[in-house]
Amino acid sequence: MNLVEKDLKYIWHPCSQMKDYQDLEPIVIKNGKGAYIFDIDGKSYLDAVSSWWVNLFGHSNDRINRAINEQVEKLEHVIFANFTHEPAIQLAEKIVNITPEGLDKVFFSDNGSSAIEVALKMSFQYHQQTGKFKKQRFAALQNAYHGETLGALSVGDLDLYSKVFNPLLLNTLRLESPDCYRCVYCKSRDTCNVECFANLEKDIILHHEELCAVIIEPLIQCAAGMKMYPPVYLKRLRKLCDEYDIHLIADEIAVGFGRTGKMFACEHAGISPDIMCLSKGITAGYLPLALTLTSAKIYDAFYGDYFEHKAFMHSHSYTGNPISCAVANESLLIFETEDIVAKNKILEKYMLKCANTYFSENKNIGEYRQIGMVGAIELVMDKNSKQGFEPQKRIGYEVYKKGLNKGIVIRPLGNVIYFMPPYVVNQHDLDFLYSRTLEAITEVLNQ
Ligand SMILES: *Cc1c(COP(=O)(O)O)cnc(C)c1O
């Protein structure tokens, strides 16, 4: 049996209909360097999705490789209750210093969904312990995505992941989300005054007594199809949550670590959430690690004598893994020493230029939108009507398959094709990516 046959015999892949693998066999990747991955036949692919939004500084990065090697020689793992270690301490201190004001305490876990579970449990327990017993519910936006464990699915709103599990999920208050591409309120994005906020506001006010927290993906609802909305929305939400004693949970798992052009997306709005979740890019795409940050105020509500039963009894075996922490520390050092956020501005501009060059004429590209180093194309039947393709046609998936032949990885979200490249791409790579994407789209839609 070759590797592909063995893979299909033994492995159940994530987020996939396994039957699709009959047509499109799993691609066996042997190695990676920079923005490219290489299969066992030596074919190269530009990793335009940063290996599921995690990679920042390329594959097999020399600095990160060295940091891992140095750490494994010292300590690979140790229980994190009652014990601690320098990589975690250094990381926590640094993260508190670079995240928005007021996020003073760091709770460790090992994947994004867990960081969300931690956030929800923390907020719920806080309100119980401070006597606000009626606050037992969460609010979240339409089209939200916060991960796939049951709590995280409960606040999410994408049927694709959650529909079958509905009987198991928490009763989340669903709030109208911004939908800038097909906005029914604003005539133009330039004059946007987030009129869409009014409905959310009404619902929150109506239910405020029962709400622990509102959870949100700042600026970009990524899994929903890279839906982007303006920072002023976050400002309004922060104010509303303050007025009604509701926690604001910022899920920066996808948008943190420079993706939106600032280190954290909340910075665009100048707000501090009560709880912030980080993962994905935190280890530059190398190892599992997640953090849930919160305020001293929330932390203090859990502080007391053991038999008051106020402690936060959440744990995972690999909590605070030292190798992951060492990688995160090295990644943050790369941000600093190489002035990554400033350098990315040049790449951002170039992405926009490419979009202008390649996409502006195509009638099936309804819109190209971009914040920082996230660019997205919404494929539609016709630009003017904005009418979408029927999902059954799987246009995005067909474009993706064509892209693979052309050496680019642009795994779609429905009929949205997006670019979230590692920060090590150069202008040549971006021209290659955008021009090949246009070719793939044209071939699929004119065939
Ligand atoms: C990926 C993601 C998660 C879940 O993280 P996992 O590590 O995949 O569990 C949660 N929220 C957002 C916004 C994400 O993009």
Side-chain angles (χ1 to χ4, degrees):
M1 254 191 272
N2 66 22
L3 282 174
V4 168
E5 285 161 354
K6 273 197 190 170
D7 173 284
L8 293 173
K9 179 159 187 236
Y10 294 112
I11 298 178
W12 192 344
H13 286 272
C15 207
S16 303
Q17 170 47 261
M18 291 308 300
K19 186 159 184 276
D20 283 347
Y21 288 74
Q22 282 180 2
D23 274 0
L24 179 63
E25 290 180 342
I27 298 165
V28 187
I29 295 300
K30 190 166 171 205
N31 59 314
K33 194 70 202 171
Y36 291 83
I37 47 179
F38 303 87
D39 70 17
I40 41 173
D41 300 321
K43 182 172 165 58
S44 71
Y45 303 84
L46 176 54
D47 186 2
V49 299
S50 291
S51 286
W52 251 346
W53 320 349
V54 296
N55 193 293
L56 302 187
F57 305 121
H59 295 273
S60 194
N61 178 289
D62 292 341
R63 285 185 64 172
I64 306 245
N65 292 355
R66 204 174 320 126
I68 290 184
N69 285 327
E70 282 171 17
Q71 184 56 42
V72 281
E73 294 296 332
K74 290 186 227 158
L75 176 69
E76 79 303 328
H77 189 62
V78 65
I79 178 174
F80 207 52
N82 295 119
F83 292 84
T84 191
H85 49 81
E86 199 178 343
I89 297 166
Q90 200 187 327
L91 177 60
E93 180 182 27
K94 185 87 204 171
I95 282 284
V96 165
N97 284 333
I98 63 172
T99 46
E101 187 101 0
L103 295 167
D104 304 319
K105 300 285 177 180
V106 183
F107 193 92
F108 287 74
S109 61
D110 49 24
N111 65 81
S113 303
S114 294
I116 298 292
E117 300 290 335
V118 167
L120 300 176
K121 287 173 70 179
M122 222 176 233
S123 174
F124 178 88
Q125 192 175 339
Y126 169 88
H127 289 298
Q128 295 305 303
Q129 282 171 190
T130 53
K132 287 160 277 182
F133 305 113
K134 278 206 279 185
K135 287 187 174 283
Q136 298 197 357
R137 229 182 142 190
F138 301 99
L141 295 195
Q142 281 169 346
N143 301 313
Y145 178 87
H146 298 289
E148 290 164 49
T149 50
L150 291 174
L153 269 186
S154 297
V155 284
D157 184 41
L158 298 177
D159 277 354
L160 178 63
Y161 308 105
S162 60
K163 194 166 182 207
V164 65
F165 301 110
N166 269 337
L168 304 180
L169 303 183
L170 303 171
N171 173 23
T172 297
L173 176 67
R174 195 58 59 196
L175 304 165
E176 182 175 320
S177 61
D179 185 4
C180 297
Y181 177 48
R182 294 189 173 86
C183 185
V184 293
Y185 305 102
C186 304
K187 288 278 176 293
S188 144
R189 219 173 276 188
D190 303 330
T191 58
C192 169
N193 196 19
V194 285
E195 281 151 78
C196 58
F197 193 79
N199 286 328
L200 170 144
E201 187 165 34
K202 207 171 63 201
D203 285 340
I204 288 184
I205 293 172
L206 191 64
H207 293 276
H208 74 92
E209 285 188 340
E210 59 192 68
L211 290 179
C212 302
V214 178
I215 183 166
I216 191 159
E217 296 159 87
L219 296 196
I220 314 179
Q221 291 190 295
C222 291
M226 302 297 162
K227 286 170 177 266
M228 302 176 183
Y229 62 90
V232 55
Y233 193 92
L234 295 173
K235 263 193 200 144
R236 299 272 301 269
L237 185 59
R238 174 69 277 181
K239 194 157 159 279
L240 188 63
C241 288
D242 282 341
E243 279 168 33
Y244 291 96
D245 190 22
I246 298 167
H247 291 146
L248 178 61
I249 302 174
D251 176 354
E252 293 239 9
I253 290 166
V255 294
F257 300 100
R259 261 301 149 198
T260 64
K262 294 193 186 283
M263 198 61 172
F264 300 101
C266 284
E267 291 172 32
H268 289 272
I271 60 150
S272 297
D274 301 287
I275 302 178
M276 183 190 263
C277 301
L278 299 172
S279 187
K280 290 207 164 102
I282 191 168
T283 57
Y286 266 68
L287 287 165
L289 178 69
L291 303 177
T292 305
L293 280 81
T294 194
S295 62
K297 183 180 170 194
I298 291 179
Y299 172 87
D300 287 344
F302 293 75
Y303 200 85
D305 289 323
Y306 186 80
F307 284 109
E308 288 179 72
H309 297 297
K310 285 162 67 174
F312 189 56
M313 297 305 286
H314 189 102
S315 57
H316 297 284
S317 318
Y318 280 101
T319 291
N321 177 260
I323 307 173
S324 298
C325 293
V327 169
N329 285 326
E330 185 63 21
S331 174
L332 290 175
L333 211 56
I334 294 175
F335 269 104
E336 260 176 45
T337 53
E338 299 185 19
D339 206 4
I340 297 295
V341 174
K343 266 195 201 154
N344 281 356
K345 294 271 176 277
I346 301 165
L347 288 170
E348 277 172 35
K349 282 212 186 88
Y350 201 75
M351 285 169 71
L352 279 172
K353 182 164 176 269
C354 287
N356 247 327
T357 309
Y358 299 107
F359 299 155
S360 51
E361 304 283 294
N362 193 293
K363 79 172 174 61
N364 296 117
I365 297 178
E367 153 174 276
Y368 173 81
R369 46 182 178 258
Q370 185 183 320
I371 294 180
M373 285 192 65
V374 184
I377 289 173
E378 181 128 357
L379 292 172
V380 292
M381 296 214 279
D382 176 65
K383 205 174 183 155
N384 296 319
S385 71
K386 297 187 183 177
Q387 197 187 343
F389 289 101
E390 291 156 38
Q392 295 88 310
K393 290 202 170 135
R394 301 184 78 189
I395 298 294
Y397 184 65
E398 294 303 320
V399 171
Y400 166 58
K401 287 199 286 188
K402 282 264 192 274
L404 289 173
N405 290 335
K406 295 173 185 295
I408 54 174
V409 182
I410 44 170
R411 197 173 195 272
L413 295 158
N415 291 330
V416 172
I417 307 283
Y418 65 90
F419 311 108
M420 228 198 238
Y423 305 159
V424 294
V425 285
N426 59 34
Q427 299 190 346
H428 171 267
D429 298 326
L430 291 171
D431 268 305
F432 174 74
L433 174 63
Y434 281 60
S435 60
R436 294 295 166 103
T437 300
L438 178 65
E439 280 173 28
I441 291 171
T442 316
E443 285 169 29
V444 168
L445 291 170
N446 293 346
Q447 74 191 359

